[in-house]
C-alpha cells in the first residue's frame, strides 16, 4: 500500500512538472511571435505627381487654390497601410488664406512649400517645392488688366498708346483708379527698363481723394531712348500705388511686363 502511494505521488509530480514546462514553452513561443503592424511598417509613403524642388508657376491675378491643386496633382501611396496616407502643407500666410487655401496671386515672387505625407503608423515623407507667382504680363490677349483689386481700392491699366500729347512724344499709359483707402491714392510707373537699360518714366502730379474715382497718366519719352533700346519688344516696369507720387506712403508695387505690340 505504501509503495502504491509513493508511485502515485511521483507520477503526479512528473505530471505537474510537464505541465509547467509545456506552459513555459507556450509562453515563450507566444512572446517570440509577437509582431505588430507598427513594428513591421517602417516604410514611409511615396509621393508622385510632383518632384522635389519643382517650380509650380501661377499667372498674376489667376484664381488658384493650393489645396485643390494638390488634391488633383498628387498620388500618395503606401505599401502596408490599410488607410490612405494623409498630407499637410505649409506656405507663407502672407499669400495664403489659412481657412480656404486660396492664394493671393497679386503678390509676385517665389514661395517655398513644404508638403508632408504620413501613413497611419506615423511614417512620413517630406517634399519641398516652389510656388512661383509670375509678374503681371500685359499682352494683346489681356491689354487692359486690373492690376490691383484689394482693400485699398481698384486700379486698372485702361490704355497704352504711342503718340504726341501735350508736346510729349512717346508711350502713354492711363490708370483708372477707384480709391477705397482712407487717404489719397496715386497710380503710376516706377523704375522702368527697356532692353535692360533704365529709362525715366514720368507721371502727372495729381492724386485721387479717398472715396473718389479718377485717372492718372504716366509716359516714357522718345527723347530719353538710347540706341541700345532700338528694336525692343517689351517694357519692364513697376506699377506703384501710393498716397502721393512725390514721397508718398506706398500701398503696394506690382512688377509688370508690357509687350510692345499691345500699344495702340
Amino acid at each position: 500500500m505504501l509503495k502504491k502511494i509513493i508511485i502515485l505521488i511521483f507520477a503526479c509530480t512528473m505530471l505537474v512538472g510537464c505541465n509547467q514546462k509545456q506552459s513555459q514553452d507556450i509562453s515563450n513561443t507566444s512572446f517570440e511571435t509577437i509582431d505588430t503592424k507598427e513594428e513591421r511598417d517602417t516604410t514611409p509613403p511615396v509621393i508622385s505627381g510632383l518632384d522635389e524642388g519643382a517650380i509650380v508657376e501661377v499667372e498674376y491675378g489667376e484664381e488658384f487654390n493650393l489645396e485643390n491643386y494638390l488634391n488633383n496633382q498628387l498620388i500618395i501611396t503606401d505599401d502596408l497601410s490599410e488607410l490612405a496616407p494623409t498630407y499637410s502643407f505649409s506656405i507663407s500666410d502672407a499669400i495664403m488664406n489659412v481657412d480656404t487655401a486660396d492664394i493671393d496671386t497679386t503678390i509676385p515672387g517665389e514661395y517655398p512649400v513644404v508638403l508632408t505625407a504620413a501613413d497611419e503608423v506615423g511614417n512620413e515623407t517630406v517634399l519641398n517645392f516652389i510656388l512661383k507667382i509670375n509678374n503681371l504680363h500685359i499682352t494683346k490677349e489681356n491689354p487692359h488688366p486690373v492690376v490691383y483689386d484689394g482693400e485699398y481700392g481698384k486700379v486698372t491699366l485702361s490704355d497704352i498708346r504711342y503718340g504726341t500729347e501735350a508736346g510729349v512724344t512717346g508711350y502713354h499709359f492711363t490708370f483708372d483708379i477707384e480709391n477705397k483707402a482712407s487717404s489719397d491714392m496715386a497710380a503710376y510707373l516706377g523704375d522702368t527698363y527697356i532692353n535692360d537699360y533704365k529709362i525715366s518714366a514720368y507721371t502727372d502730379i495729381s492724386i485721387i481723394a479717398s472715396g473718389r474715382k479718377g485717372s492718372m497718366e504716366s509716359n516714357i519719352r522718345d527723347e530719353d531712348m538710347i540706341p541700345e533700346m532700338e528694336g525692343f519688344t517689351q517694357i519692364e516696369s513697376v506699377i506703384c500705388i501710393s498716397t502721393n507720387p512725390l514721397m508718398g506712403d506706398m500701398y503696394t508695387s506690382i512688377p509688370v511686363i508690357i509687350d510692345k505690340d499691345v500699344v495702340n
Side-chain angles (χ1 to χ4, degrees):
M1 182 66 178
L2 178 61
K3 183 177 180 180
K4 290 182 179 180
I5 293 173
I6 292 172
I7 292 172
L8 181 60
I9 293 172
F10 177 77
C12 290
T13 303
M14 290 294 292
L15 181 59
V16 171
C18 289
N19 289 339
Q20 288 177 342
K21 184 176 186 303
Q22 183 178 11
S23 176
Q24 183 178 3
D25 290 342
I26 292 172
S27 177
N28 288 340
T29 301
S30 176
F31 177 77
E32 290 171 354
T33 57
I34 291 175
D35 187 9
T36 64
K37 178 183 291 187
E38 286 80 359
E39 291 171 329
R40 295 196 311 270
D41 186 359
T42 60
T43 304
V46 175
I47 301 174
S48 57
L50 201 59
D51 294 330
E52 175 72 21
I55 298 177
V56 177
E57 294 193 45
V58 181
E59 295 305 318
Y60 182 95
E62 176 185 350
E63 291 187 3
F64 186 82
N65 183 284
L66 183 54
E67 184 174 9
N68 290 344
Y69 171 81
L70 293 175
N71 285 341
N72 293 328
Q73 187 73 19
L74 295 178
I75 299 174
I76 303 176
T77 57
D78 188 77
D79 59 345
L80 292 176
S81 178
E82 296 177 356
L83 299 176
T86 59
Y87 76 87
S88 60
F89 57 87
S90 62
I91 190 174
S92 171
D93 58 9
I95 65 164
M96 187 181 78
N97 183 316
V98 296
D99 295 322
T100 64
D102 287 333
I103 299 296
D104 183 353
T105 59
T106 64
I107 311 176
E110 295 188 358
Y111 301 92
V113 182
V114 180
L115 174 70
T116 303
D119 63 19
E120 62 180 310
V121 299
N123 297 314
E124 291 185 346
T125 298
V126 177
L127 185 144
N128 297 274
F129 67 95
I130 298 294
L131 180 65
K132 180 181 180 182
I133 301 176
N134 291 324
N135 292 342
L136 172 61
H137 190 181
I138 299 175
T139 65
K140 289 185 71 173
E141 293 71 31
N142 186 30
H144 308 304
V146 174
V147 299
Y148 176 80
D149 189 1
E151 61 176 310
Y152 303 119
K154 183 177 180 180
V155 176
T156 303
L157 180 54
S158 60
D159 194 23
I160 307 173
R161 60 203 179 277
Y162 178 83
T164 301
E165 299 180 13
V168 174
T169 301
Y171 297 88
H172 302 267
F173 304 81
T174 301
F175 296 98
D176 291 342
I177 302 169
E178 298 179 22
N179 185 4
K180 298 178 183 178
S182 58
S183 300
D184 298 332
M185 180 177 288
Y188 50 94
L189 292 183
D191 290 342
T192 302
Y193 293 84
I194 295 178
N195 289 348
D196 292 330
Y197 289 90
K198 188 170 184 177
I199 186 170
S200 296
Y202 302 86
T203 186
D204 57 345
I205 308 301
S206 63
I207 55 173
I208 307 302
S210 176
R212 304 287 183 162
K213 301 178 182 180
S215 297
M216 289 187 64
E217 303 284 334
S218 289
N219 63 70
I220 300 170
R221 301 176 180 181
D222 277 2
E223 63 189 49
D224 294 327
M225 302 280 274
I226 59 176
E228 288 81 1
M229 296 177 183
E230 292 182 3
F232 75 91
T233 59
Q234 292 182 329
I235 299 170
E236 297 179 61
S237 189
V238 177
I239 298 174
C240 300
I241 303 174
S242 70
T243 58
N244 192 301
L246 297 177
M247 306 299 290
D249 294 329
M250 189 69 66
Y251 290 120
T252 188
S253 58
I254 303 160
V256 60
I257 299 172
I258 304 167
D259 288 351
K260 185 181 180 180
D261 61 8
V262 173
V263 178
N264 295 320

